[in-house]
């Protein structure tokens, strides 16, 4: 059982304990996430006591009193004090380390996908160039309408190849001064007809009439289109999609809020991973490319979602500093 005299201040902080009453009558195992870990810890405690040797269990998930979680390593050290056998438990918070390891694994996945994307893109581009060239040559000899369809689809393949190359290597952003409000309005206009057919209304709420950013407009437009299309696909019954633009001294926040089906928490953590998608025929590359483009613009992307309530995706982009404006 927990007893406040035997739990130091660091332990109380780790468990999120503010009052002793919160843990009276509870054992250590009550704070362990359900699963094999509880049995493993109970067995390790028995071994430590029976063998009178320290034992350690790694990567245990604690559930704090505020329902937040922490990852810890636990060492069980049997001691003999005042003719009594006691068990000292030393816990090391490894939450930050685990998150760092997860980020490194994600970076490794991105590296592998980048290499794969580069190979695919270059292999496709060579025959694509020949097909496109010969199609244009025979355009006059066959039905022009058919040729137009072929050329449109070839253009689409070319766009996909360019997207793969975004993943394959760092892109040099050809920055120019762009009114981001105007860019979003043009994106909304582009998708409005498709949205209306799906009984969806896209509403843009800019905090100001004009905000200038240094960016590559075509790439950012690609990001906005991808986010809006995902939002539309998540709303089979229609409804509004709201876009909010707010600015601070250092950045501009653009939030896309839909009323769709939402994303479960377990899936939300994996959004943006290569080849992981919540859509039946999705590749998972769309949002991944968006993240890459935003990172190239020195910005960041945040996703919040609740099942049955909808999803909010916020794109934060840095503003020009006063020094940059003067140059």
């Amino acid at each position: 059982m927990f007893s406040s005299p035997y739990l130091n201040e660091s332990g109380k902080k780790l468990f999120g304990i503010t009052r002793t009453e919160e843990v009276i009558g509870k054992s250590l195992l009550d704070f362990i996430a359900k699963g094999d870990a509880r049995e493993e810890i109970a067995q390790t405690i028995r071994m430590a006591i029976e063998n009178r040797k320290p034992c350690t269990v790694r990567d245990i998930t604690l559930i704090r009193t505020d329902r937040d979680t922490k990852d810890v390593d636990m060492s069980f050290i049997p001691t003999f004090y005042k003719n009594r056998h006691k068990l000292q438990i030393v816990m090391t918070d490894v939450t930050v380390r685990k998150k760092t390891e997860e980020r490194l694994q994600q970076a490794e996945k991105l590296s592998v996908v980048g290499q794969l994307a580069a190979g695919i893109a270059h292999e496709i581009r060579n025959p694509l160039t020949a097909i496109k060239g010969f199609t244009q040559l025979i355009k006059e000899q066959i039905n022009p309408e058919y040729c137009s369809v072929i050329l449109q689809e070839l253009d689409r393949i070319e766009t996909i190849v360019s997207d793969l190359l975004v993943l394959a290597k760092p892109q040099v952003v050809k920055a120019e001064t762009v009114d981001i409000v105007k860019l979003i309005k043009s994106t909304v206009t582009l998708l409005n007809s498709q949205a209306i057919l799906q009984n969806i209304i896209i509403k843009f709420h800019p905090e100001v009439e004009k905000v200038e950013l240094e960016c590559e407009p075509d790439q950012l437009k690609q990001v906005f289109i991808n986010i809006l299309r995902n939002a539309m696909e998540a709303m089979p019954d229609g409804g509004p999609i709201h876009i909010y633009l707010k600015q601070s001294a250092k950045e501009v926040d653009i939030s896309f809020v839909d009323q769709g089906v939402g994303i479960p928490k377990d899936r939300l953590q994996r959004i943006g991973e290569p080849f992981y998608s919540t859509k039946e025929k999705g590749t998972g590359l769309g949002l991944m490319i968006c993240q890459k483009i935003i990172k190239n613009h020195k910005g960041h992307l945040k996703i919040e979602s609740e099942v049955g309530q909808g999803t909010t995706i916020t794109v934060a982009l840095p503003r020009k500093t006063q020094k940059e404006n003067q140059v």
Side-chain angles (χ1 to χ4, degrees):
M1 299 295 179
F2 270 115
S3 180
S4 55
Y6 302 106
L7 187 66
N8 64 17
E9 290 303 315
S10 295
K12 290 179 182 178
K13 186 176 178 182
L14 180 64
F15 283 90
I17 296 169
T18 55
R19 294 176 292 106
T20 305
E21 292 79 8
E22 292 176 303
V23 291
I24 289 177
K26 292 185 177 181
S27 72
L28 173 64
L29 297 182
D30 292 325
F31 290 85
I32 305 300
K34 291 181 180 179
D36 296 337
R38 289 187 176 184
E39 180 57 36
E40 184 183 359
I41 288 171
Q43 186 177 353
T44 303
I45 291 173
R46 288 194 294 269
M47 287 175 59
I49 293 172
E50 290 172 6
N51 299 329
R52 296 183 184 180
K53 291 182 180 180
C55 295
T56 300
V57 182
R58 302 192 183 279
D59 294 335
I60 299 299
T61 302
L62 285 180
I63 302 176
R64 289 161 42 104
T65 55
D66 58 6
R67 310 310 296 170
D68 193 9
T69 58
K70 290 283 185 180
D71 295 309
V72 298
D73 289 346
M74 289 186 181
S75 294
F76 302 94
I77 305 169
T79 58
F80 189 76
Y81 180 68
K82 290 185 178 181
N83 298 322
R84 291 181 64 187
H85 290 284
K86 294 181 178 290
L87 187 68
Q88 184 179 4
I89 304 173
V90 179
M91 285 175 276
T92 305
D93 188 349
V94 296
T95 307
V96 175
R97 189 197 73 192
K98 281 199 72 176
K99 287 182 178 178
T100 302
E101 289 173 353
E102 288 171 3
R103 283 196 292 267
L104 288 172
Q105 289 174 2
Q106 177 72 355
E108 181 63 24
K109 287 180 184 177
L110 288 173
S111 175
V112 171
V113 170
Q115 294 173 24
L116 177 64
I120 294 172
H122 289 297
E123 287 298 320
I124 292 174
R125 253 189 178 159
N126 292 331
L128 187 63
T129 303
I131 294 168
K132 194 170 183 179
F134 282 112
T135 303
Q136 287 171 334
L137 286 174
I138 64 172
K139 188 174 182 180
E140 301 301 324
Q141 300 175 28
I142 61 174
N143 192 321
E145 187 179 342
Y146 296 160
C147 274
S148 296
V149 173
I150 293 169
L151 289 170
Q152 284 174 12
E153 292 306 307
L154 287 171
D155 287 338
R156 177 172 167 75
I157 295 171
E158 208 163 36
T159 301
I160 293 170
V161 170
S162 298
D163 288 347
L164 287 172
L165 287 174
V166 169
L167 295 175
K169 59 184 178 181
Q171 300 294 300
V172 177
V173 178
K174 297 177 182 177
E176 57 184 272
T177 302
V178 174
D179 179 5
I180 201 72
V181 175
K182 188 177 179 181
L183 185 66
I184 294 172
K185 283 182 178 178
S186 68
T187 306
V188 171
T189 302
L190 182 67
L191 294 176
N192 245 338
S193 57
Q194 183 181 345
I196 291 169
L197 289 173
Q198 296 178 227
N199 198 29
I200 292 171
I201 300 173
I202 304 174
K203 298 180 179 180
F204 181 32
H205 313 278
E207 189 178 63
V208 290
E209 288 299 316
K210 185 177 182 179
V211 181
E212 290 188 340
L213 295 180
E214 286 293 319
C215 65
E216 206 293 317
D218 288 339
Q219 286 191 7
L220 280 188
K221 197 168 188 176
Q222 180 184 354
V223 170
F224 300 152
I225 289 172
N226 192 290
I227 293 173
L228 284 170
R229 280 182 174 162
N230 283 344
M232 290 161 65
E233 289 175 8
M235 297 171 61
D237 298 325
I241 296 173
H242 296 279
I243 307 172
Y244 298 94
L245 184 145
K246 296 181 180 180
Q247 63 171 343
S248 64
K250 293 185 177 180
E251 67 179 25
V252 174
D253 292 337
I254 306 150
S255 298
F256 299 81
V257 184
D258 68 49
Q259 314 294 319
V261 294
I263 306 168
K265 285 187 178 180
D266 58 329
R267 293 190 175 189
L268 190 61
Q269 295 175 352
R270 297 191 61 191
I271 294 295
E273 287 187 14
F275 307 114
Y276 181 81
S277 175
T278 56
K279 292 182 261 183
E280 185 180 349
K281 296 182 180 179
T283 62
L285 295 177
L287 194 56
M288 191 176 167
I289 290 165
C290 289
Q291 289 176 328
K292 185 77 172 179
I293 290 172
I294 294 166
K295 186 178 179 181
N296 289 343
H297 282 79
K298 303 188 188 308
H300 58 272
L301 184 144
K302 181 181 179 183
I303 305 175
E304 298 172 292
S305 188
E306 190 173 337
V307 175
Q309 299 296 317
T311 302
T312 298
I313 297 181
T314 301
V315 176
L317 298 168
R319 298 190 64 182
K320 291 191 296 183
T321 63
Q322 290 295 324
K323 186 176 181 181
E324 287 174 330
N325 286 329
Q326 293 169 3
V327 175

